[in-house]
Each structure stands twice: as C-alpha cells, then as structure tokens.
Amino acid sequence: MRPIIRQHIGLLVLAQVCLALAAVMPTTSNGSPAPSGNATAESDMTPHADGKWSPTDNLHTARDIHTATLLPNGLVLVAGGLDNRSVESRSAELYDPATGVWTATGRLNEGRFYYPATLLPNGKVLVEGGDGLSGERASAELYDSATGTWTRTGSLNLARQLHSATLLADGRVLVAGGFDSNNLITGSVELYDPATGIWTFGNNLSVPRFTHTATLLRNGKVLVAGGFGGSGTLASSELYDPTTGTWTDTGNLNTPRVTYTATMLRDGEVLAVGGIDSDGIISTTELYDPRTGTWTTTGSLNTARYAHTATLLRNGMVLVAGGLGLDGQTSSAELYDPASGSWTATGDLNIKRSQHTATLLPNGVVLVAGGLEDSFTPLRSAELFRQR
C-alpha cells in the first residue's frame, strides 16, 4: 500500500517526492451544471457580500478527495474518495435538498480517489481512472440515477490519476494529462464516446501535466492551464479544438499555479484563483479572455489558499471557501464580484476544511460536503451557504 500524503506544500518544493508519490491534490472547480428552468427571485440577482453557513445532515461516510455531481433530478451524488481509514471508498450517497438528508445509493465497482466525475447528456455520471492505493486505475463506470447502480463501461487505454475530464458540446468526454501507472507525467489524451462506451486516443497535450484545470469555453474549445509538469509548476495554457482534434498554445498565466480553481464567469472569461507556485501558497487571481487569448490579473484574495472550492453563484459572483492557507486549514470564505474585480469576506464555514466539494443547488444554495479538518481527518459534516 502506498502512503497517502494529504498535505502537499513540501511535495511541491521537493518535486522528486511529488513525482514518486503522485500525491498532489487535484484541483476541483465546481462542475455542476447551471440550474435550468427555475425562476430566479430579484433578491437572488442582487450581489451581497454577506452570507451565512448552516449545518445540514452529515454524510454517512467520512471522506475527502471525492466527487460531487448535481443530477438532473436535483439530487447531489457524492462518491468515492478516501475514508477515515485512508482507504479508497466504494460508497456513494445522495443528498436531497428538499429534505436535507443523505441516503446511501449503489456502491462503485472499484473504490477510487483523485478522479473526476462527469454528468453526461443522458443523465448518467461517468467516472474513470483515479488512484486505488495499489496504483492508478484505468477502469471506468457509469452511475444511473434511475436504478441507483453503477455499471462498468470501457476502460481508459492508459491508467491515470490527477487528470481532467471535460464534457464536449457533442457529448463526448475529453480526458487530458495526469499521472500514469509508470510514475510519469503524461500528455496523453483520450476521448470517450457514450454511444459506444469506448475510449480512443486523441492528439497529445503540448505540455504533459497533472493537477491542471480544464474549462469548456463558450466557443466549444477547452482551455487547459497550469498544473505540474516536468519543469515544475506551469504557467502555460493551451486550447483543444474538438472540430480538428488539435491543441494550440494560448497566453500564459501571469503566475504559475497548481491546486487552484478555474471558474467560467457569466461573460465567458475564466477566473483562476489561488493555488501554489514555486514559492508557496498564493493569493493572486487572474482572468482569461477567450477573445484575446490572454490572462490579466484581477483582485487578490484576502486569504491565500489552495485545495479550496470555487462556485459560480446565480448572481454572477464566485464563492471561494475553505482550503489550506498559510496557517493550515481555513474556515474563511470570500466572494468575487466581477463588476469591481474585488474580493469581499463573507461568513465563515462552521468547520475548517480542505479537499471538500461544493455544489450549487437548484435553489441557489451551495452545498459543501466532506473534506479534511485541521487534524487532517476526513469529515462527515456538510453545510449550506445562503446569501442575503
């Protein structure tokens, strides 16, 4: 069994250890789809810096580095991760916003962590790869909310963890980069076709990387940025064009960063927040403009952090919560206002946590679940954020 390193500042300073253990936390930006078909009250559309966190029902299984996916039926699926025994979990559970209760659902065929989850157009959830303590996984499986069960689908051609997965406009899933079973940073790319359940190799990334971010832009291209590569923390960015299947370089980040979040704003720009560079934890943030292909700096966080979450709210603001800061786990949360380019502190989480998940619910409330507390123990607790 390989050791699991849950705190990775030292790993980034000592890159050779990072590569040997592949233990850098993958960035997680909120991948839940925007609510549709719900009328938005005028009060929800007015930006407010004040907000409040309130506890909700505890998870059945304490976990961190898991995934959370908003399903079409409004429930939230949480699956996998590491449990309080530092063992990869096969358990999965559903949160019902109407009752505020978690219920167990079908178990994964294989426990996994450091993996992504993708909601497909047919309503099923695809998970693939990840780590299983014994090594990187190539297996993939699908969750069907109608039956509450997981079924195996085609395996990746290359076992990997700490990679990205992006749903393309045509319904395929683009997997890029990661750390493979040969203890190498990979630039390989694969595409999943839900119609056939088969993965096929695509053109490689220009720069092999892991713990990067991948964001689907409004023009259908995918922006991959930052992460960790052979030369260390990366500033480079590149674009994938699904129509040609090719990658092209685009503007570099102003600050190389890893374990950060990337969130697409209402105007189509992408906000990169925090993370770690070669000198440590950072508070800087910057915006990518797809029209110019450039990154420009914007307001800095009040609290430097990484392994946090970032959620686009219905009023266009971005909520950043928790993570690891200069003094360890933090409970602080802050809001980014695109109109002013500034960050404002909002209500603190009830529990300090990092490596948790954050999901925007259909009613505009944000659900935070699990993660690590300040003693680096997985959490069962969950809480809800509401703005005034």
Side-chain angles (χ1 to χ4, degrees):
M1 179 181 294
R2 298 182 297 168
I4 299 302
I5 306 299
R6 296 181 183 271
Q7 190 173 14
H8 356 77
I9 299 173
L11 296 183
L12 288 163
V13 175
L14 300 174
Q16 67 273 26
V17 178
C18 175
L19 297 180
L21 299 181
V24 178
M25 163 65 189
T27 312
T28 306
S29 59
N30 180 41
S32 300
S36 60
N38 293 307
T40 302
E42 183 64 29
S43 59
D44 290 333
M45 298 301 294
T46 305
H48 291 289
D50 54 334
K52 181 180 179 181
W53 295 90
S54 56
T56 188
D57 189 33
N58 284 347
L59 291 159
H60 292 276
T61 300
R63 65 184 86 221
D64 71 301
I65 48 181
H66 53 284
T67 59
T69 309
L70 179 65
L71 302 177
N73 59 12
L75 303 182
V76 178
L77 171 70
V78 159
L82 281 171
D83 64 19
N84 55 13
R85 301 168 298 160
S86 289
V87 173
E88 70 271 33
S89 178
R90 289 182 54 212
S91 74
E93 43 194 303
L94 296 167
Y95 181 79
D96 186 344
T99 62
V101 173
W102 293 92
T103 56
T105 188
R107 292 167 63 82
L108 290 156
N109 290 284
E110 294 185 67
R112 62 187 80 220
F113 56 98
Y114 290 144
Y115 73 97
T118 308
L119 179 66
L120 302 179
N122 61 9
K124 294 183 179 181
V125 177
L126 170 70
V127 302
E128 80 288 327
D131 201 344
L133 294 183
S134 59
E136 286 72 20
R137 297 200 184 284
S139 65
E141 45 192 302
L142 295 164
Y143 178 78
D144 186 342
S145 59
T147 61
T149 57
W150 295 87
T151 57
R152 294 183 185 273
T153 187
S155 292
L156 291 161
N157 293 287
L158 179 69
R160 66 182 84 207
Q161 61 166 313
L162 301 162
H163 55 284
S164 61
T166 310
L167 178 67
L168 302 178
D170 62 9
R172 293 178 300 162
V173 177
L174 173 75
V175 156
F179 196 85
D180 69 22
S181 55
N182 296 314
N183 287 337
L184 296 174
I185 304 170
T186 182
S188 75
V189 168
E190 304 189 40
L191 291 156
Y192 177 78
D193 185 345
T196 63
I198 295 174
W199 295 90
T200 56
F201 278 119
N203 289 312
N204 284 359
L205 289 160
S206 301
V207 179
R209 64 184 82 213
F210 67 101
T211 68
H212 52 279
T213 60
T215 309
L216 180 67
L217 304 177
R218 288 181 176 173
N219 59 13
K221 295 182 179 181
V222 178
L223 170 69
V224 163
F228 204 83
S231 60
T233 308
L234 299 171
S236 66
S237 301
E238 47 191 299
L239 293 168
Y240 178 78
D241 187 341
T243 60
T244 61
T246 56
W247 295 91
T248 56
D249 293 338
T250 188
N252 286 349
L253 289 156
N254 291 282
T255 302
R257 61 185 77 220
V258 67
T259 65
Y260 70 103
T261 54
T263 308
M264 191 171 76
L265 305 179
R266 280 182 168 179
D267 63 4
E269 294 190 335
V270 178
L271 175 69
V273 176
I276 302 175
D277 67 8
S278 58
D279 295 322
I281 307 172
I282 55 179
S283 62
T284 61
T285 73
E286 48 190 299
L287 293 165
Y288 177 80
D289 187 341
R291 297 166 296 183
T292 61
T294 57
W295 293 89
T296 57
T297 57
T298 186
S300 290
L301 291 161
N302 294 289
T303 301
R305 67 184 81 214
Y306 74 105
H308 54 278
T309 54
T311 310
L312 179 66
L313 304 179
R314 296 200 303 192
N315 60 17
M317 301 179 84
V318 177
L319 171 70
V320 160
L324 278 160
L326 298 174
D327 298 321
Q329 252 87 0
T330 181
S331 61
S332 73
E334 42 193 306
L335 290 162
Y336 177 77
D337 185 349
S340 63
S342 60
W343 293 89
T344 306
T346 187
D348 286 354
L349 290 155
N350 291 286
I351 297 177
K352 296 179 180 180
R353 65 181 82 218
S354 65
Q355 302 183 169
H356 50 287
T357 55
T359 309
L360 181 67
L361 303 178
N363 61 3
V365 173
V366 177
L367 169 71
V368 157
L372 287 177
E373 62 180 348
D374 53 7
S375 63
F376 289 93
T377 302
L379 291 162
R380 288 182 57 217
S381 71
E383 44 190 306
L384 299 168
F385 175 82
R386 292 179 175 87
Q387 278 186 287
R388 178 170 65 84

